[in-house]
Amino acid sequence: MSNALERLRSKLTGRDDEVVEASFNDYQLSSELLKAINLLGFTSPTPVQAQVIPAVLKQKDIIVKSQTGSGKTAAYAIPICELVDWEENKPQALIVTPTRELAIQVKEDVFNIGRFKRLKVSAVYGKSPLTYQIKELKQKTHVVVGTPGRIIDHLERGTLDTSQIKYLVIDEADKMLDMGFIEPIETIITSLSKKRVTLLLSATMPKDIEVLCNKYLKEPIYAEIAEQNPVIDRISQERYTVDRQDKLKLLSDITIVENPDSCIIFCNTKQTVDEVYQGLQKLKYTCEKIHGGMEQRDRLRVMNDFKLGSFRYLVATDVAARGIDVEDISLVINYDLPLDSEIYVHRIGRTGRQNKQGKAITFVTRYENKFLAAIHQYIGKEIPLKERPERETVSDSQQEFEEKTKAIPEMKATKGAELSKEILKLHINAGKKTKMRPVDIVGTLCSIPGMTAADIGIINIRDISTFVEILNNKGKFVLEELQKTPIKGRLRKVSKAER
Ligand code: AMP
């Protein structure tokens, strides 16, 4: 038994005196993975990772009952990135997520972890051009992340080759069930070879999910991660009673007094999001909005900018409530009381991530007591009722609030920033139309003194251009050399890629 498992067992059996924290070095991961894990700032495995990583490395099916924020994505991404074979061109792992936002985030997480192993990860989801996805799937792809509908679309068109899929992950299975995705999930499962490892992750285990597990998982290990410090207890919660027409004024008073560095304001409908957004804009807040009625491209841009910290206030419907991983949100405001208790927990869980303290404030109108009572029952305690801030308190806080509003927000580093530091992406002015192939690029690059295949990252050949990543701080040198080195018989225009 590995050291990590030994320690875990002693934890489970309560032999606390013997508990030593698990380490990523216990799993015999490749140096490429350990380097990425280290640069991502993961010092030791979270409890879910300590259970899932060794099991998947041993090719075991596993059911994981665990919340977002527990490090569950890396728990499956690490062993999958370790196990996939770089040489194989067809996809070897398929990760199914209920929402587009989660698919994009998982893609990013897997890409970061597999960065130094040079893994290619594609995301396929709806409301995004099929043609681009088809082109991407035609190229070398190790891992595919997608939403059920679009995956099935690709399966039916024959544009997603599943013949080499050895790992299937069904993430947020309970959410899939809520969204009516169980049948599509079964269609996807049955299109894959039985010789595969299946992982299913879910925050709750309703009957239908159990049935699915019994039907398709082989002697699965069951991992339930009891939260040591439940999110509910980590978040200080307050509520205010308010009339509907007075909500915007209360929102303004509270944000002035709280003066958060970053804040999500949740509304129940797109219309309210639009109203609140306009209201805050009039008050000169640095804010953006996100709801399901917006173009996917705009939603992505807003989420990215929010992650980077380029504005402080995000007004959102529940599309932004689940699974989305933005660090350091100091305050969540429920402008509208969620009508479903579970949604309340997901919304407030956007703050207090990774064991940090957070704050959640909820507005309740006098007609909503029934829903409030349901939430109280669900979370097992009463949210303390507060008096709205006195006019004096608000005016005392005004100056500090205005200073922060005027200040340029401090940009947060993206999770992958550390990993990208020693990588330079180059653009070559030639592509498929001039019959450029990966082997032409690799051949030229390896002819440059001091360059080996290990210094070449992902190569992406488009119609009239090619993108190639140069690793290990050699980018600048390679860029200079390529100004005088022909590729496929001709000197090409080579420059630093814009993106
Ligand atoms: P998830 O539960 O997958 O949404 O992950 C929540 C957050 O935890 C993400 O920001 C991860 O980057 C981060 N994370 C995952 N594993 C670790 C780890 N071992 N140590 C520190 N942070 C981690």
Side-chain angles (χ1 to χ4, degrees), residues 42 58-59 79 81 85 127 140 192 275 391 490:
F42 302 174
K58 285 192 199 133
Q59 311 273 346
C81 287
D85 174 9
K127 283 204 184 163
K140 189 179 183 81
L192 303 178
E275 275 164 38
R391 196 177 293 181
R490 272 180 45 195

Side-chain angles (χ1 to χ4, degrees), residues 24 42 44 49 68-73 325 327 353-354 415:
F24 284 111
F42 302 174
S44 55
Q49 291 162 359
T68 54
S70 58
K72 67 180 176 66
T73 316
D325 179 25
E327 284 180 35
R353 309 274 288 166
Q354 278 291 309
K415 265 194 282 174

